[in-house]
């Protein structure tokens, strides 16, 4: 089946959530132990995570989940054109120049933009409109992310040519069930690949960062102060130094959260708006519950009864486990319940999306 044009499913002016996958060329393990060259490139996973943190702090895009494996990585991203609307011209120019700096320091980090550099953008109405659109554009996020990774890796290997395999894959997630299933699918990738046994041991995943933050929050002030690298009291805002500070919060806090875009109170991410109707602890419990079923023989046992979130969403354990295990094959163009997907149309031509028979049958059995 021919792939859809990106513009048919992606609109930077809308708030949308996408599952993104990007693979290295020819499936080579250029982020891990590569059997062809015999070299180990695990350190590149650190690069990618550092880039994700930087992009999450500059773009008007929420990073919901991620996992980095040896030859590809998964992201769940939410475009936030509504957040861009809260930024003045100076903030738009500053953020863009931190992503695409005109000057870098000795370590290659972007330097604080000068007034002249800011003026070249904020005094050009056409350029401002274009950059505002780019800041909430998932294609620009991926274009610059993959470009920086590829250039750095090629320089390290003293080579040229393509580093990534074709263009990245982008699947829109149109309902809460799809967002939840995809996020769990992404966070459990290392467990499903037999690289890790538990969520907390799944390195370079959003799940591990959330676990680290919960563990750190249980420290006493004395413990926290001792953990400071320089021996001084850390920043007053505990949210700014959390391991998952660059990730979108899990909980939407429906009914209590303020209306509107909810721009972040820290400089680590674009907004403080969650993406699921559950707490962070409930999400991690669901991850652990799902992981035990996906990998029989691991330590622990299945809790009695169904987790409350499954009951609230009307998902049976069988349906849920099939969704998480086979998410990639069930949804190749757009993801969600078949009845929700049937109401969606492509952005440019207004065509209906194809829903695989396997997905219809799965949800039909659970009806």
């Amino acid at each position: 089946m021919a792939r859809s044009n990106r513009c048919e499913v992606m609109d930077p002016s809308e708030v949308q959530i996408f599952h993104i996958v990007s693979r290295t060329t020819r499936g080579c393990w250029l982020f891990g132990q590569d059997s062809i060259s015999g070299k180990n490139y695990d350190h590149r996973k650190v690069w990618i995570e550092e880039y994700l943190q930087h992009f999450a702090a500059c773009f008007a895009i929420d990073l919901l989940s991620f996992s980095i494996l040896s030859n590809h990585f998964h992201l769940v991203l939410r475009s936030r054109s509504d957040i861009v609307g809260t930024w003045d011209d100076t903030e738009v120019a500053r953020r863009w120049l931190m992503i695409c700096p005109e000057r870098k320091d000795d370590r290659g980090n972007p330097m604080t933009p000068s007034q002249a550099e800011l003026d070249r953008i904020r005094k050009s109405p056409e350029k401002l409109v274009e950059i505002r659109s780019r800041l909430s554009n998932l294609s620009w996020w991926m274009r610059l992310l993959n470009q920086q990774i590829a250039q750095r890796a090629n320089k390290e290997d003293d080579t040229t040519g393509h580093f990534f395999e074709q263009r990245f894959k982008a699947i829109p997630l149109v309902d809460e069930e799809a967002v939840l299933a995809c996020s769990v699918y992404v966070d459990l990738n290392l467990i499903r690949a037999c690289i890790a046994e538990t969520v907390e041991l799944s390195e370079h995943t959003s799940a591990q960062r959330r676990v680290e933050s919960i563990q750190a929050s249980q420290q006493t002030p004395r413990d926290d102060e001792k953990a400071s690298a320089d021996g001084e009291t850390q920043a007053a805002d505990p949210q700014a130094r959390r391991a998952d500070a660059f990730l979108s919060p899990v909980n939407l806090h429906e009914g209590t959260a303020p209306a509107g875009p909810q721009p972040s109170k820290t400089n680590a991410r674009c907004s403080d708006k969650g993406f699921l109707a559950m707490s962070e602890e409930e999400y991690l419990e669901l991850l652990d519950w799902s992981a035990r079923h996906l990998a029989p023989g691991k330590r622990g046992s299945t809790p009695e009864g169904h987790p409350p979130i499954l009951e609230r969403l009307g998902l049976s354990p069988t349906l849920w486990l099939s969704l998480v295990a086979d998410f990639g094959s069930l949804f190749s163009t757009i993801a969600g319940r078949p009845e929700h997907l049937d109401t969606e149309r492509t952005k440019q031509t207004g065509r209906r999306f194809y829903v695989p028979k396997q997905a219809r049958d799965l949800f039909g059995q659970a009806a």
Side-chain angles (χ1 to χ4, degrees):
M1 180 179 175
R3 63 188 183 185
S4 302
N5 290 330
R6 190 71 37 83
C7 62
E8 291 284 14
V9 296
M10 193 176 289
D11 185 349
S13 67
E14 296 181 4
V15 176
Q16 295 179 288
I17 301 178
F18 279 81
H19 173 215
I20 308 287
V21 186
S22 192
R23 298 183 179 277
T24 57
T25 185
R26 297 184 301 279
C28 297
W29 287 29
L30 300 180
F31 303 141
Q33 182 66 46
D34 185 36
S35 59
I36 297 176
S37 65
K39 295 181 180 180
N40 187 288
Y41 299 110
D42 280 336
H43 61 281
R44 291 176 179 171
K45 296 174 183 175
V46 178
W47 295 357
I48 298 174
E49 193 164 343
E50 289 173 347
Y51 287 135
L52 292 178
Q53 292 184 32
H54 181 61
F55 279 31
C58 297
F59 273 94
I61 292 173
D62 291 325
L63 176 58
L64 310 188
S65 305
F66 74 91
S67 61
I68 307 169
L69 287 85
S70 294
N71 65 350
H72 69 286
F73 61 82
H74 295 261
L75 307 177
V76 180
L77 300 174
R78 178 173 58 191
S79 57
R80 298 302 305 275
S81 55
D82 56 339
I83 291 290
V84 180
T86 69
W87 296 339
D88 60 22
D89 294 347
T90 297
E91 183 66 5
V92 168
R94 184 192 70 81
R95 286 175 177 269
W96 183 252
L97 288 170
M98 291 302 290
I99 300 168
C100 299
E102 296 187 10
R103 295 173 297 116
K104 296 182 180 180
D105 61 22
D106 295 339
R107 298 196 300 174
N109 297 317
M111 297 180 67
T112 302
S114 66
Q115 291 301 310
E117 291 168 346
L118 292 171
D119 284 344
R120 280 195 283 273
I121 294 177
R122 60 190 175 188
K123 290 186 177 181
S124 172
E126 291 183 359
K127 186 172 291 186
L128 267 173
V129 170
E130 181 182 24
I131 289 177
R132 280 184 180 275
S133 176
R134 289 180 181 181
L135 285 172
S136 63
N137 191 321
L138 302 184
S139 288
W140 271 94
W141 168 299
M142 289 303 300
R143 173 180 177 175
L144 295 175
L145 174 65
N146 283 359
Q147 182 184 78
Q148 293 187 27
I149 294 170
Q151 289 177 346
R152 187 170 176 179
N154 283 349
K155 182 178 180 180
E156 181 182 65
D157 293 340
D158 192 23
T159 188
T160 58
H162 291 290
F163 184 85
F164 286 100
E165 180 182 80
Q166 301 179 358
R167 65 177 188 173
F168 64 91
K169 186 177 181 180
I171 309 297
L173 309 176
V174 303
D175 53 32
E176 184 182 0
E177 294 90 338
V179 173
L180 176 59
C182 185
S183 187
V184 171
Y185 168 78
V186 168
D187 274 330
L188 293 185
N189 246 258
L190 272 70
I191 294 176
R192 295 182 65 242
C194 298
I195 298 173
E197 291 187 351
T198 62
V199 172
E200 59 271 23
L201 295 178
S202 297
E203 295 187 344
H204 303 294
T205 65
S206 47
Q208 187 184 55
R209 296 294 161 265
R210 297 190 193 279
V211 170
E212 289 174 348
S213 293
I214 289 179
Q215 291 174 331
S217 68
Q218 295 172 348
Q219 291 182 324
T220 64
R222 181 181 296 272
D223 293 333
D224 200 22
E225 203 166 307
K226 285 180 181 178
S228 176
D230 56 8
E232 298 179 0
T233 303
Q234 297 186 23
D237 183 4
Q239 297 298 320
R241 63 176 188 267
R242 287 172 58 105
D244 64 349
F246 64 105
L247 298 173
S248 171
V250 172
N251 203 336
L252 275 167
H253 292 291
E254 293 179 312
T256 60
Q262 298 180 41
S264 178
K265 298 176 182 177
T266 74
N267 293 322
R269 62 191 177 206
C270 140
S271 81
D272 291 332
K273 188 179 183 65
F275 62 99
L276 293 173
M278 62 169 65
S279 70
E280 189 173 61
E281 290 77 8
E282 285 177 315
Y283 176 71
L284 291 175
E285 287 177 1
L286 180 61
L287 274 182
D288 181 68
W289 184 87
S290 300
R292 294 178 194 277
H293 284 73
L294 288 172
K298 303 298 182 183
R299 291 179 298 170
S301 59
T302 303
E304 294 183 5
H306 305 327
I309 184 62
L310 300 186
E311 295 176 358
R312 291 201 298 271
L313 293 178
L315 298 175
S316 70
T318 301
L319 171 59
W320 171 252
L321 294 173
S322 296
L323 276 176
V324 174
D326 303 322
F327 190 89
S329 60
L330 285 170
F331 306 110
S332 59
T333 304
I334 188 171
R337 284 183 176 271
E339 61 267 28
H340 294 164
L341 301 185
D342 288 340
T343 66
E344 296 289 324
R345 297 293 185 272
T346 58
K347 304 295 182 183
Q348 301 293 318
T349 60
R351 291 183 293 105
R352 294 178 60 176
F353 288 99
Y354 169 73
V355 181
K357 182 176 184 297
Q358 183 184 1
R360 291 192 183 277
D361 291 344
L362 181 63
F363 280 90
Q365 293 170 6

